[in-house]
Amino acid sequence: MTNKQPQQHYEIGMVGLGVMGRNLVLNMADHGFSVAGYDKDPAKVAALSQESKERNVHGAADIKEFIGLLRRPRAVMLLVPAGAPVDSVIEDLLPHLDKGDLIIDAGNSYFKDTNLRAGQLMANSIQFLGVGVSGGEEGARHGPSIMPGGPKEAYDRIRPVLEATAAKVKGEPCVTWLGPGSAGHFVKMVHNGIEYGVMQLIAESYDLMKRGLGYNDDELHDVFSAWNKGELNGYLMEITGNIFSKVDEKTGKRLIDEILDVAKQKGTGMWTSQSAMELQVPIPTIDLAVAMRDLSIFANERAQAGDIYRRSQRRFTGDRDTFLTQLGSALLAGMITIYAQGMALLVAASDKYEYHLDLEAVARIWRGGCIIRAALLEDICAAFHARRDLPNLLLAPSVSRKVIGHQEDLRQAVCRAAEFGIPAPGLMASLSYLDAYSSVWLPANLIQAQRDYFGAHTYERIDAKGTFHTEWEKS
């Protein structure tokens, strides 16, 4: 199905015409680029034809026809689910491609899979870019944050398209070449890990107000909307305020109260935790956010445990306005620790995988279009601009001053959660991370001694270099 007579001049091709792919095609076309779209589902091709109207767009349900529409050397973008579907599409494309053609995987692929695909395609003289895209349906249509990685010369080929379609902040496009290999998909993975952590803290704040203070949906809307006007300003805060006002068409009640308390995951958060463990970088709040989504799935067991460990709900006593101020402050401090954990992981990955990431640039392209865009990213940009080799955001003077100003409120919020019996493990993990990272001494000496005692794993001493072993049970 087509919306105009096909010509062999289309600048870029899109495989996958679901919501994201179709909207990105329309975005590209709005900026003057000619785009050919392909999907095995004729209905999706028809939907593209219907929506594209007078734009320079052509849809095809036949892969040979699709490839024939593209200008040589060809550039083909994929927006299909991660994993086997990506490999399947590449396998379908290869017989129709020539040396020097370019495949762009714009899905949420695991970075190690990206490395494998790049190597396999290079053997066929096909270039490959792994590109993270964040912003959801709205971002794809009107400007996402785009995180490309791979050969610089391949990026330069499609740079005009990506810069035109990306979100803009202060006139700057929210896209830049991040580094070789799987740099783009690794950065997108960490973006999603940060997203998991921030969403968890927002959910815990909601719980403390709903069950702790007894706030209704209108009050919750007002609080989150007010927070979004200050230091907590960000996309996730904005949509949270909007969520509490949405009425369910089926029941007439607020939709939020009709949604099941189960939140599954698609893998990017888990990959972030796995990668951090491989690189030995602690990201406890992000790990915890992944774990809490897993725990939410055990609804029946939670109900049984609730009967066993039933306790009366403690009522809040004290000044609510004061607590709300503390909670907002605690949320900000916790969010800073999450960004710090994510950026520290990027520092380690950049060194290990030779990405040579520019962390200021990463923070800069996250300021618009993406899910974790927030006012806080301006501070993060400034921190990495001032010190390019900054190992952890918490060491930046401007950021540390902000954390110091809010950390006591984080402690108070954690204490209140414990008193209420309301789970706030994300806030607790953020506080523990801050305390541990800033602790001059940790009790790891005892762990060394225990390991040596039961397994002769040796230990290091304060007063001498080298490793030592003690026969602990000898007198």
Side-chain angles (χ1 to χ4, degrees):
M1 295 183 183
T2 68
N3 60 314
K4 56 180 61 67
Q5 189 65 30
Q7 304 173 52
Q8 294 185 350
H9 71 167
Y10 292 89
E11 296 165 89
I12 189 167
M14 175 69 71
V15 177
L17 299 179
V19 172
M20 286 289 290
R22 187 167 68 251
N23 279 324
L24 200 54
V25 166
L26 296 173
N27 185 348
M28 292 173 180
D30 283 345
H31 288 88
F33 297 97
S34 56
V35 191
Y38 165 74
D39 201 292
K40 290 182 177 180
D41 184 352
K44 291 180 179 178
V45 177
L48 175 65
S49 179
Q50 178 66 30
E51 290 187 53
S52 59
K53 297 180 180 178
E54 298 305 314
R55 298 176 181 87
N56 199 358
V57 171
H58 183 84
D62 178 81
I63 196 165
K64 188 175 180 180
E65 177 194 354
F66 165 70
I67 293 297
L69 293 168
L70 302 176
R71 180 184 301 171
R72 298 170 186 264
R74 305 175 185 93
V76 182
M77 180 176 285
L78 319 183
L79 257 172
V80 298
V86 176
D87 294 314
S88 178
V89 169
I90 291 174
E91 185 178 347
D92 289 344
L93 286 171
L94 275 179
H96 306 283
L97 297 180
D98 298 320
K99 292 181 179 180
D101 287 347
L102 169 63
I103 294 177
I104 307 147
D105 178 9
N108 275 334
S109 289
Y110 184 39
F111 77 101
K112 292 185 178 180
D113 290 342
T114 299
N115 288 331
L116 289 173
R117 289 168 186 144
Q120 292 164 356
L121 288 168
M122 187 182 298
N124 289 280
S125 299
I126 304 293
Q127 290 186 308
F128 186 70
L129 288 174
V131 177
V133 178
S134 177
E137 177 181 352
E138 190 71 13
R141 185 66 185 86
H142 301 291
S145 174
I146 306 175
M147 295 155 257
K152 179 64 162 56
E153 64 273 17
Y155 168 70
D156 287 338
R157 281 179 54 183
I158 62 159
R159 177 176 177 177
V161 180
L162 298 184
E163 287 188 345
T165 54
K168 309 295 188 298
V169 174
K170 300 178 181 177
E172 298 178 336
C174 293
V175 58
T176 190
W177 179 71
L178 293 172
S182 54
H185 276 148
F186 194 96
V187 169
K188 177 54 163 61
M189 178 189 74
V190 173
H191 164 285
N192 285 22
I194 292 171
E195 177 185 309
Y196 271 59
V198 173
M199 291 173 72
Q200 177 64 29
L201 292 198
I202 292 174
E204 291 175 10
S205 302
Y206 154 55
D207 196 4
L208 285 168
M209 286 186 279
K210 179 179 176 66
R211 292 197 288 177
L213 300 182
Y215 271 27
N216 62 34
D217 293 324
D218 286 330
E219 291 169 315
L220 289 165
H221 162 80
D222 291 344
V223 171
F224 282 106
S225 297
W227 281 350
N228 189 50
K229 295 175 182 177
E231 286 186 296
L232 285 166
N233 170 263
Y235 175 72
L236 286 169
M237 197 63 60
E238 175 188 344
I239 66 169
T240 300
N242 295 341
I243 283 168
F244 290 106
S245 296
K246 184 68 175 178
V247 175
D248 178 29
E249 295 180 359
K250 182 178 180 180
T251 64
K253 300 177 182 178
R254 295 299 169 89
L255 179 58
I256 184 64
D257 300 316
E258 303 303 308
I259 297 175
L260 193 66
D261 64 329
V262 173
K264 298 178 181 178
Q265 57 150 328
K266 291 187 176 180
T268 49
M270 178 183 67
W271 294 340
T272 308
S273 291
Q274 289 174 339
S275 298
M277 290 182 183
E278 289 173 358
L279 293 169
Q280 296 183 303
V281 177
I283 56 166
T285 313
I286 295 171
D287 293 339
L288 194 283
V290 176
M292 287 303 291
R293 292 203 189 185
D294 292 338
L295 184 57
S296 74
I297 297 170
F298 295 91
N300 291 335
E301 291 180 36
R302 287 191 285 116
Q304 294 175 49
D307 288 337
I308 296 170
Y309 297 100
R310 187 180 301 277
R311 61 192 298 272
S312 58
Q313 181 75 52
R314 288 191 61 173
R315 298 182 63 84
F316 176 80
T317 57
D319 186 86
R320 292 191 174 199
D321 290 339
T322 298
F323 177 68
L324 276 180
T325 300
Q326 290 176 333
L327 184 58
S329 183
L331 184 54
L332 179 62
M335 286 172 57
I336 292 173
T337 70
I338 293 169
Y339 281 94
Q341 291 166 42
M343 300 307 273
L345 178 55
L346 290 178
V347 169
S350 182
D351 181 59
K352 174 70 173 179
Y353 303 129
E354 299 182 348
Y355 292 147
H356 308 294
L357 294 173
D358 178 345
L359 275 298
E360 180 189 357
V362 171
R364 188 170 61 247
I365 66 172
W366 283 351
R367 293 177 305 162
C370 74
I371 304 302
I372 64 170
R373 61 186 186 265
L376 180 60
L377 283 158
E378 294 289 353
D379 295 324
I380 297 175
C381 283
F384 284 102
H385 179 78
R387 183 180 171 188
R388 293 180 61 84
D389 65 343
L390 185 67
N392 191 298
L393 193 58
L394 296 177
L395 298 178
S398 59
V399 175
S400 62
R401 286 194 295 270
K402 186 167 289 190
V403 173
I404 290 168
H406 294 287
Q407 66 172 335
E408 291 308 315
D409 288 331
L410 178 56
R411 296 185 195 284
Q412 290 301 314
V414 166
C415 288
R416 281 293 192 178
E419 291 173 4
F420 292 156
I422 293 174
L427 289 168
M428 293 176 178
S430 295
L431 177 60
S432 294
Y433 176 76
L434 176 61
D435 284 342
Y437 188 73
S438 60
S439 181
V440 178
W441 179 85
L442 291 172
N445 58 331
L446 177 58
I447 295 172
Q448 280 207 75
Q450 290 170 329
R451 293 180 72 248
D452 189 58
Y453 193 116
F454 65 68
H457 294 294
T458 73
Y459 56 86
E460 295 176 274
R461 293 182 62 92
I462 296 172
D463 55 2
K465 291 185 178 181
T467 56
F468 301 86
H469 171 62
T470 294
E471 298 292 336
W472 292 89
E473 295 189 357
K474 283 188 178 181
S475 56

